[in-house]
Amino acid sequence: MSLFYVKPNGPLRGTVTASGSKNAVLPIMCACLLTDEICEIYSVPPLLDVYVLKEIMESMGVWVQFDEKNEVMKIHAKRISSSDAKHTLWEKIRASFLVAGPVCARTGKVKVPFPGGCKIGSRPVDLHIKGFENMGMKIRQEFGFIEIKGRKLKGTEIYLDFPSVGATENLMMAAVLCEGATVIENAASEPEIVDLAKFLNKMGASVTGAGSTKIVIKGVESLHGAKHRVIPDRIEVGTFMAAAAVTRGDVTIKNVCFEHIRPAAAKIEESGVIVEESGKSIRINAEREVRSFDIKTLPFPGFPTDMQAIFMSILSTAKGTGMITETVFENRFMHVAELKKMGADIKTDGRTAVVEGVKKLSGAKVRATDLRAGAALIVSALAAEGDTEIGDIYHIERGYCDIDKKLMMLGAEIEKRD
Ligand code: EPZ
């Protein structure tokens, strides 16, 4: 199994460019299933999750061409057949379930396995299903599959118990070809939702209110092909911010939409790190002392749960004590045990972690337990005393492309070893 071998090499300095957003491109790929015309997507990051979703779509008879060098993906869902892919493929990613809404809207039925994804909680899909039933779809769950049936559905009002990102995306896509208007209340307002709505509207849909808690989708007869550039990956940007902070470096990050990273920028400025915004770039200067801060993860525009582990790495060697409350997922502290192997002083109680900053962490043999936990270990290893070996890096490669090469451009010593 591949691993990352990291040697500390002082403060990171230089410029790095963020890729397109994993959590925006995956639902947008699924939205291409809503039309029988060809769609083109730009800034598609060559990530494991993207390849898995491409394979799932191809197993449904969809034509997908991915020019990874130029990060251009063309998708043509001229016809959609039921997938012959194994469970195991669908279970690799959470986003596989985002196929359900568009395929049911397009063909009137779909049968998908329960999705997978990081083991950061039970990850149910009950809110998706409740919304589908609310729209008049018939649901059957058996043998690990969910079968959804419903044609020319009527628009309706859906109130989400929790502003679920995936449920909001799935229901938006299920509603675009309904008769009448569908209203989603208590919708998620993450930037990835806005990007999906932009793409759907380019396809001829009528989606308003994305980015707020109330989204209105007025059904249309059909959708046509469209071209779209995916927004930058705000979580990758946050990862580079944390790497600059932990190494007390001075790093410029390009391809940033500042509005999307405001919660993280505000938090890191609390620690004394300087954040300078200029157009689509930000400069992170952490050459002064980094002080502790508290975090409470919340749906957007609160502090993002996906940056919780990564910012815990900053707290591990910041001056003082920081408290983290994880309100979104019930099991998102799996990185704590690994950080403690590196000498971090962290106590957890349920969804709360108290981090006592120590002078330096020490290199150790650790492993990635999930995508963002793995990123947190890389960030911590960059400034540890001694070398660190990070195993199970396939978790990391699901959501970061060439993170080793990008960090090496900033002066890090990180090597992928098979
Ligand atoms: C998306 O997951 C992201 N993944 C996650 O990013 C991200 O952490 C999450 O949104 C929250 O921002 C993708 O976009 C592919 P949710 P999703 O539905 O849609 C509960 C990463 O690191 N819930 O907003 O699965 C759920 O259990 C990944 O890039 C239900 O109870 O997140 C969780 O506690 C990790 N029932 C909370 O809502 C449901 O039907 C948030 O889940 C759906 C969700």
Side-chain angles (χ1 to χ4, degrees):
M1 293 286 248
S2 303
L3 56 86
F4 281 136
Y5 199 83
V6 185
K7 291 174 185 294
N9 193 32
L12 295 189
R13 285 200 171 71
T15 300
V16 68
T17 300
S19 299
S21 161
K22 165 179 90 80
N23 292 346
V25 74
L26 295 172
I28 285 172
M29 285 172 67
C30 294
C32 298
L33 299 170
L34 286 160
T35 176
D36 61 1
E37 295 184 9
I38 198 161
C39 295
E40 283 189 36
I41 314 169
Y42 310 113
S43 296
V44 178
L47 299 168
L48 287 184
D49 277 20
V50 169
Y51 289 109
V52 170
L53 186 56
K54 172 176 181 287
E55 199 178 335
I56 288 172
M57 294 174 83
E58 288 167 334
S59 75
M60 298 160 64
V62 177
W63 178 80
V64 184
Q65 181 195 70
F66 184 23
D67 168 0
E68 55 199 53
K69 185 170 166 299
N70 298 305
E71 299 188 335
V72 177
M73 180 175 277
K74 292 178 184 170
I75 297 175
H76 194 187
K78 200 157 183 52
R79 273 172 304 287
I80 299 176
S81 58
S82 56
S83 167
D84 56 8
K86 296 215 176 353
H87 255 97
T88 42
L89 182 66
W90 292 77
E91 284 163 0
K92 283 183 177 174
I93 60 173
R94 172 75 178 170
S96 60
F97 198 63
L98 296 178
V99 156
V103 172
C104 196
R106 171 90 184 273
T107 67
K109 65 180 171 37
V110 67
K111 186 175 176 184
V112 292
F114 275 89
C118 291
K119 300 277 175 284
I120 52 180
S122 57
R123 313 294 298 269
V125 289
D126 57 309
L127 297 177
H128 301 238
I129 289 171
K130 217 166 92 177
F132 289 145
E133 287 173 331
N134 201 329
M135 295 171 75
M137 295 179 187
K138 298 285 171 264
I139 312 283
R140 204 152 66 103
Q141 301 181 38
E142 59 177 5
F143 312 121
F145 279 88
I146 300 173
E147 192 174 46
I148 305 166
K149 283 186 179 161
R151 283 204 79 80
K152 275 291 161 210
L153 302 161
K154 293 257 178 301
T156 181
E157 297 210 347
I158 299 165
Y159 194 94
L160 290 178
D161 298 351
F162 181 87
S164 153
V165 171
T168 302
E169 292 164 342
N170 230 337
L171 296 170
M172 275 167 66
M173 293 190 281
V176 288
L177 298 176
C178 276
E179 279 162 31
T182 301
V183 180
I184 305 174
E185 301 258 18
N186 198 27
S189 55
E190 272 70 5
E192 293 77 26
I193 304 280
V194 177
D195 210 29
L196 174 61
K198 276 193 186 134
F199 181 63
L200 289 169
N201 287 337
K202 283 182 182 176
M203 296 172 79
S206 168
V207 180
T208 52
S212 77
T213 57
K214 179 174 178 178
I215 300 176
V216 181
I217 304 104
K218 287 199 181 76
V220 294
E221 200 48 42
S222 66
L223 296 181
H224 50 73
K227 297 180 178 183
H228 184 76
R229 183 173 299 280
V230 166
I231 54 172
D233 193 312
R234 61 191 170 103
I235 312 301
E236 187 188 26
V237 171
T239 308
F240 293 134
M241 290 166 73
V246 164
T247 60
R248 308 298 185 262
D250 185 352
V251 168
T252 296
I253 308 166
K254 295 168 79 171
N255 194 29
V256 176
C257 179
F258 191 73
E259 272 316 299
H260 298 170
I261 56 113
R262 279 183 84 84
K267 191 49 70 180
I268 210 167
E269 282 180 322
E270 259 185 65
S271 74
V273 170
I274 299 166
V275 181
E276 287 166 4
E277 176 202 359
S278 60
K280 289 202 73 177
S281 296
I282 56 169
R283 182 178 168 205
I284 307 293
N285 183 302
E287 292 170 329
R288 293 189 317 203
E289 180 181 72
V290 173
R291 298 185 300 275
S292 288
F293 46 81
D294 295 334
I295 288 174
K296 181 174 188 178
T297 66
L298 287 167
F300 195 86
F303 187 89
T305 173
D306 291 349
M307 289 197 213
Q308 179 257 108
I310 298 156
F311 272 51
M312 188 182 279
S313 293
I314 302 175
L315 285 176
S316 297
T317 55
K319 184 168 173 38
T321 306
M323 187 157 88
I324 294 182
T325 310
E326 171 56 61
T327 72
V328 178
F329 287 101
E330 68 269 27
N331 181 33
R332 203 165 196 174
F333 283 150
M334 291 187 286
H335 46 285
V336 170
E338 301 304 310
L339 287 173
K340 287 171 83 166
K341 286 179 191 168
M342 298 177 74
D345 179 354
I346 307 169
K347 291 180 184 62
T348 59
D349 177 7
R351 292 194 183 204
T352 301
V354 177
V355 187
E356 197 69 50
V358 296
K359 197 132 184 53
K360 269 216 180 263
L361 296 183
S362 59
K365 199 169 171 182
V366 291
R367 63 180 197 84
T369 51
D370 59 83
L371 165 55
R372 306 303 175 182
L377 293 173
I378 293 178
V379 168
S380 295
L382 295 172
E385 194 84 56
D387 300 357
T388 300
E389 187 181 291
I390 302 169
D392 292 348
I393 61 170
Y394 62 89
H395 285 292
I396 302 171
E397 293 177 320
R398 285 189 49 207
Y400 292 90
C401 48
D402 295 334
I403 188 164
D404 47 342
K405 296 187 180 67
K406 289 179 178 175
L407 288 171
M408 280 195 279
M409 279 162 61
L410 297 173
E413 273 208 44
I414 172 171
E415 182 198 0
K416 181 174 174 178
R417 291 182 182 175
D418 292 318

